[in-house]
Amino acid sequence: HAPLKLQAQNPWTGQLLTMTPTLRRRNGAAPHPGSTGRGSPADSMLSRSSSSNSEALEPRDWLGRGGLMGNPWDAFPADANEKETVHRKRMRNRAPALFLRLKVYFLASVWLSVAFLYFLWQLPLLLLHLIPDGGSMYKRACTHYDRLVQPAILAVPFSWCGFRVWCCTPNELRRVPQCGSSVFMTNHGSRVDWLVGLLMGSTLEPQVRVGFCAEFTTMLMPIFGWSRGLFGDIFLRRTFHRDGPRILDNIKSFQEAKVDRVIFLAPEGAIVDPGVEKDAEYVQQCSKFMLDHDRRPLKYLLTPRYKGMQLVTTHNPDGIFSVTMAFVCRDKDSVQVDDLTGAARGGCLCSRPLDDPARIIPDLHTIFRGGLHVFTHIVKVPGAKMSNEDPKGVRDTLLDDYARKDALLQTFRETGAYSSDPEQYMLPIRHLRMNLTLVLIAAWTCGVAKFILGWSLRVVSRRVGMSFVVLFLMHAFTHLHAERISGASRESLLFETVLKMLMQRWMGGKLDHGGASSQEKARQQKSRLATL
């Protein structure tokens, strides 16, 4: 057969390029028709490096390119002449891929073990509910506990794996503690936005408590999801008659307890994975919504969901901040920031247009792979326009803000920065405090097991080791197979990929976008007619 030729437009120059990707078969299957996943040319500000001996594979690689991830030995490119090599050389070429996957599963298991210790010592605080006014005391106690122990949670992603957060408007970020309670509205271009919010809160002076507004399934995630449920986050079912009272009651309880916090949320409310038919359909619905309201369709973002936002802003109408995030991960070269221009260089740009097959949705596994950077832009927005009872005013304010964010992401893609201002402030990573907290909470747990439960250090070590091995194998097995079935890694919290895969099968596509797709609706209608 003649080689497949694709034409793509260079987003930097507008020139049409002709590409002939090299595809291969796996287990006798037809070649995947996707793109090469190598993106833009080498002379761009944020380029995707490509080597002459690489091929575009059917399985998804660790940057999210391609289709399914496949088996560990199929997950990464090998030599272009692989079919002619002997078996030993082929396995040697793929050994780094297998090692990287094992490294990611190991770090994920370590992080979840630390989260278990955080959750374990959070449980005794529930006893405060047994005394009068215990709810308010519990919230204040959780705030102090989180300030003390949270650095252990941040140690693995930030101190060990090199996750870095940059801000080009640090003065806006420093205003947050002055507002008391506040709301951060961010675009939803990754599954690790919440970790960015935690680091922002921990680096401010004074340190602020960060809570989240997330979907209800987040509270079902093992260990850390349960912990966030105890911490008092807002969990939504995406039905306004239920969510409205829940939002108001949650905010009122914190105001009565006189506990300030930052509510971190993404008004988009959903993430669309590249190459997923249902998600592509949702993107089209968002574009149609913008056109119906005489607005230009968003290129990088989904339309925000404005129902209920006027309730969230009652948290503090004078403390509403809009956050734009652009993610860049390490590829063949590391991510660097130019000292003169403040522009990001090298690496692989993740935050691309919604219709770009090379777009990447970073999750926890992307962090554990190492070298992920996020560049943020923060600006204060007039909350008075969003706190009124006029849904149209709330909608227009959000749409205007998202049009501004969309333009910022386009500028970042073209120049590697949000503006010509060279200022780029990297949020400090307190390595000593993070790792010392991790060691102390582990030592405290071992001490309790030895002196309270009477376990010897040998018994403690053996049981901890066995538990870790079981956790490692469980996570590796469930994530690998869930990703093969669902087509994407969705680890905003560990085990979310498998849980979302199961729930999507049970709920018929209603999980991510608040409703079934048109195909699913047609199938349900046909099923109802058949029963009549």
Side-chain angles (χ1 to χ4, degrees), residues 207-364:
Q207 183 175 339
V208 299
R209 171 174 174 155
V210 179
F212 300 96
C213 188
E215 60 181 348
F216 183 77
T217 54
T218 302
M219 194 168 60
L220 305 178
M221 303 302 164
I223 301 178
F224 206 81
W226 306 337
S227 176
R228 298 309 306 184
L230 296 179
F231 198 63
D233 289 351
I234 303 174
F235 296 99
L236 307 179
R237 295 179 181 270
R238 296 181 178 176
T239 51
F240 185 68
H241 68 281
R242 294 179 180 178
D243 293 337
R246 182 179 294 110
I247 293 171
L248 292 176
D249 291 343
N250 185 284
I251 293 176
K252 182 180 178 181
S253 67
F254 275 85
Q255 291 174 343
E256 291 177 347
K258 298 181 180 179
V259 174
D260 292 331
R261 61 172 174 170
V262 173
I263 296 182
F264 202 87
L265 77 158
E268 292 167 81
I271 293 178
V272 290
D273 290 288
V276 179
E277 181 180 358
K278 177 170 66 69
D279 291 352
E281 181 181 345
Y282 185 64
V283 173
Q284 295 299 321
Q285 294 173 3
C286 291
S287 298
K288 183 178 182 301
F289 176 86
M290 296 295 288
L291 292 173
D292 291 343
H293 291 82
D294 298 325
R295 291 176 176 266
R296 179 182 299 177
L298 300 174
K299 187 177 181 180
Y300 293 83
L301 307 172
L302 301 172
T303 52
R305 296 174 178 176
Y306 57 90
K307 268 191 175 182
M309 280 303 301
Q310 69 270 26
L311 303 181
V312 176
T313 54
T314 60
H315 188 54
N316 183 7
D318 296 326
I320 311 298
F321 294 85
S322 178
V323 185
T324 307
M325 296 187 186
F327 287 82
V328 185
C329 61
R330 183 177 61 195
D331 199 0
K332 298 295 182 181
D333 52 350
S334 300
V335 183
Q336 298 179 352
V337 175
D338 190 282
D339 294 334
L340 297 178
T341 63
R345 298 183 180 275
C348 164
L349 179 62
C350 303
S351 305
R352 292 171 171 267
L354 297 174
D355 58 355
D356 191 337
R359 183 169 55 91
I360 298 168
I361 310 296
D363 66 351
L364 283 174

Side-chain angles (χ1 to χ4, degrees), residues 514-526:
S517 63
S518 58
Q519 292 182 351
E520 180 62 22
K521 290 178 181 178
R523 188 192 65 79
Q524 294 174 358
Q525 180 68 15
K526 184 178 180 180

